[in-house]
Amino acid sequence: MASLAVSLLFYQIAYAATFTSIGSALVNKIDNINECTRRPSGNGHGGMDYADQVADAKIPNIIHQIWQTSDLTTYNSDSYHEYWKGMFEPRGYAVKLWTEAEIQSLIRTHYTWLEPTYLSYTQNIQRADLARLIVVHAFGGMYADLDVYPFDEQTLECLQHMGYRGMFATARGNAGISNHWFMAASGADFLQDALEEAHMRGSSGWFLLPYLRVFWSTGPWMLGSSLQKYIAQHVGAEKTLALLDD
């Protein structure tokens, strides 16, 4: 029995490497951004490409963050929430701290089909992963983990207006996509697809290691896989998304 468990564990670790390679492939498919510049419009042939068709889906001036309660003294790392507020509220941004109770209320009101999935999660990080997709899908804007230090104002505003419908951060080592920061237009169809993917996968999968279970069910592997499917199903969709090399 012990040898079977060890074999299964090694198999799952090897399986995890497959998801890393999928993430790396995604990095090579969509635009990688290391500085903010304006993109030319059009497809070079006088027509409108897929990116132009969704360019009017603006990313609003909202920055979303999430914690269990409004008491950030219970956060187990450095919180930069007040930095985000101090830098961006004077520039007309709303900086919203979502609590667990507010997330559940939003789900009960507008995402009832996701409520059983959300409540089935055994780990807080799974609920937080799903919640960040929900709030940005519902309202648009940007999501940032509480321990993400703010971009400078000019850079963030420039990234926001580059013409992409969604932008994500690369994972460490350029090994795929991260969900610790991203931005998207309200109602973005690729976020809808990600929510449906999370719903389909459920709470756990068959991974023994908790971190693999989280990555697969709600985290970067789930998100990267969903974006891969989205790009495959919509010709030219890769032009609407970008990865920020931060």
Side-chain angles (χ1 to χ4, degrees), residues 158-180:
C158 183
L159 292 171
Q160 186 181 351
H161 295 95
M162 285 185 71
Y164 294 104
R165 200 166 185 227
M167 187 177 295
F168 297 84
T170 53
R172 185 174 300 174
N174 212 35
I177 194 169
S178 171
N179 63 354
H180 72 277

Side-chain angles (χ1 to χ4, degrees), residues 120-200:
S120 73
Y121 291 138
T122 59
Q123 299 191 55
N124 289 334
I125 185 59
Q126 290 173 298
R127 288 187 287 276
D129 280 343
L130 189 66
R132 69 193 62 186
L133 298 175
I134 289 173
V135 297
V136 176
H137 180 265
F139 299 100
M142 289 153 270
Y143 170 81
D145 278 349
L146 287 167
D147 57 1
V148 171
Y149 192 80
F151 296 81
D152 69 82
E153 301 95 320
Q154 292 79 14
T155 297
L156 189 63
E157 288 178 348
C158 183
L159 292 171
Q160 186 181 351
H161 295 95
M162 285 185 71
Y164 294 104
R165 200 166 185 227
M167 187 177 295
F168 297 84
T170 53
R172 185 174 300 174
N174 212 35
I177 194 169
S178 171
N179 63 354
H180 72 277
W181 175 89
F182 63 93
M183 64 169 68
S186 173
D189 46 3
F190 56 85
L191 289 184
Q192 176 68 31
D193 286 0
L195 293 173
E196 293 175 1
E197 181 75 18
H199 176 64
M200 180 187 70

Side-chain angles (χ1 to χ4, degrees), residues 40-51:
S41 61
N43 58 16
H45 302 285
M48 296 285 284
D49 63 15
Y50 193 87

Side-chain angles (χ1 to χ4, degrees), residues 73-152:
T73 63
T74 61
Y75 187 64
N76 56 5
S77 184
D78 292 331
S79 169
Y80 295 107
H81 177 66
E82 293 300 323
Y83 287 75
W84 284 95
K85 291 179 64 176
M87 290 176 66
F88 288 97
E89 285 185 342
R91 301 179 75 89
Y93 285 74
V95 182
K96 169 65 176 173
L97 178 64
W98 291 86
T99 66
E100 174 99 14
E102 290 174 321
I103 293 293
Q104 291 194 35
S105 177
L106 177 63
I107 293 172
R108 283 194 301 269
T109 304
H110 297 289
Y111 296 86
T112 53
W113 58 280
L114 273 175
E115 187 173 19
T117 304
Y118 182 84
L119 295 177
S120 73
Y121 291 138
T122 59
Q123 299 191 55
N124 289 334
I125 185 59
Q126 290 173 298
R127 288 187 287 276
D129 280 343
L130 189 66
R132 69 193 62 186
L133 298 175
I134 289 173
V135 297
V136 176
H137 180 265
F139 299 100
M142 289 153 270
Y143 170 81
D145 278 349
L146 287 167
D147 57 1
V148 171
Y149 192 80
F151 296 81
D152 69 82

Side-chain angles (χ1 to χ4, degrees), residues 16-76:
T18 301
F19 283 97
T20 300
S21 65
I22 290 175
S24 298
L26 180 63
V27 169
N28 294 326
K29 284 185 177 179
I30 64 180
D31 286 352
N32 284 241
I33 305 299
N34 52 33
E35 63 179 353
C36 189
T37 56
R38 302 288 181 179
R39 294 194 303 162
S41 61
N43 58 16
H45 302 285
M48 296 285 284
D49 63 15
Y50 193 87
D52 294 310
Q53 294 173 26
V54 299
D56 60 345
K58 303 299 184 185
I59 297 174
N61 293 350
I62 310 172
I63 297 167
H64 304 275
Q65 298 186 298
I66 294 172
W67 185 234
Q68 297 166 355
T69 70
S70 59
D71 181 9
L72 291 179
T73 63
T74 61
Y75 187 64
N76 56 5

